[in-house]
Each structure stands twice: as C-alpha cells, then as structure tokens.
Amino acid sequence: MPRPHREIPSQRLATSRAEPATAARPQRGLWLAIVITVAGWALLGYPALLLALLSIIVMTGTLDTAVTGPGIALGVLGFLATLAMLAFPLLLGLAVKAPRRSLWIAACFTGVITIAACIYVAVEWLVPFG
C-alpha cells in the first residue's frame, strides 16, 4: 500500500529539514489561567451570592404571599444564572490557557449570561427606579 502524499519527504529539502505539516499550538501559562479564574471569582462573588439569595426568596415567597409558577421559574433561572457566573471565570481562564474554539464559545455564552445577570441584579435590586 503506497504512503499518502503528506508522508513523502520533499525531494528539494534534505531529509533532516523536512517538518511535519501540523505544528503544535503554543499554550499559555497555567498561572495566567489561575489568576484570571481567581480574579473573576473575586469580582463576581458578591453578585452571585446576592442573586442566589434573591432566587431563594423569590422561589419560597414571603410569609404573606403565596408561591406561584412564575416565581419558581424566575428562581430556577436565577440559579442557572448563578451557575453561569461561577463557571464563566473558569472557562475564560481555560480558554486563554489552551486556545480552543469550543472553550471560547462556552466562555462567551456564559459571559453573556453573567453580564445579563449582573445587569438584572444591579437594575432590579440594587438601584430600583420605581
């Protein structure tokens, strides 16, 4: 069985100078990923904790109100947004360390959810307009 064309060394180059077609991508340092993750968790710690507590309050209701379906759905969405806020710094650190498309897509997706959750907490609970 003949060898594939990509495995045949070039006739113009010496055998010792022939390089494989694919070169390994350089990976960034592990410390950069750790710094990004820890800094992200430090920045998002308070909003994530606040959103988790607000989700519990919305899901369980207060003493004088009954729990409704939309309240439970809003609480579940709040918990999912809290998980996205916890996952975003880790995924961003991994995406910077090992540049893969799937990690960047996951980091961007959780980043959009994190930004939306931070805006919701800031506008709806911290600075109420009405």
Side-chain angles (χ1 to χ4, degrees):
M1 183 150 112
R3 293 190 297 179
H5 183 68
R6 66 179 179 275
E7 293 180 4
I8 300 173
S10 174
Q11 299 297 322
R12 289 185 258 159
L13 297 175
T15 307
S16 62
R17 289 180 54 192
E19 295 180 9
T22 60
R25 292 182 182 173
Q27 289 193 352
R28 295 180 179 94
L30 178 66
W31 287 107
L32 181 63
I34 291 172
V35 167
I36 289 172
T37 302
V38 170
W41 281 339
L43 289 174
L44 293 174
Y46 179 68
L49 181 67
L50 188 62
L51 185 61
L53 290 174
L54 291 172
S55 298
I56 289 173
I57 292 170
V58 167
M59 283 180 65
T60 58
T62 59
L63 294 175
D64 57 345
T65 62
V67 180
T68 61
I72 293 174
L74 188 62
V76 170
L77 285 176
F79 281 126
L80 291 176
T82 303
L83 289 176
M85 291 171 85
L86 292 175
F88 173 61
L90 180 64
L91 288 172
L92 185 63
L94 288 173
V96 167
K97 181 190 175 298
R100 293 187 187 138
R101 178 179 231 155
S102 60
L103 287 174
W104 279 109
I105 290 171
C108 289
F109 182 69
T110 56
V112 167
I113 294 172
T114 298
I115 291 171
C118 287
I119 290 172
Y120 171 74
V121 168
V123 170
E124 186 69 24
W125 296 98
L126 295 179
V127 187
F129 291 115

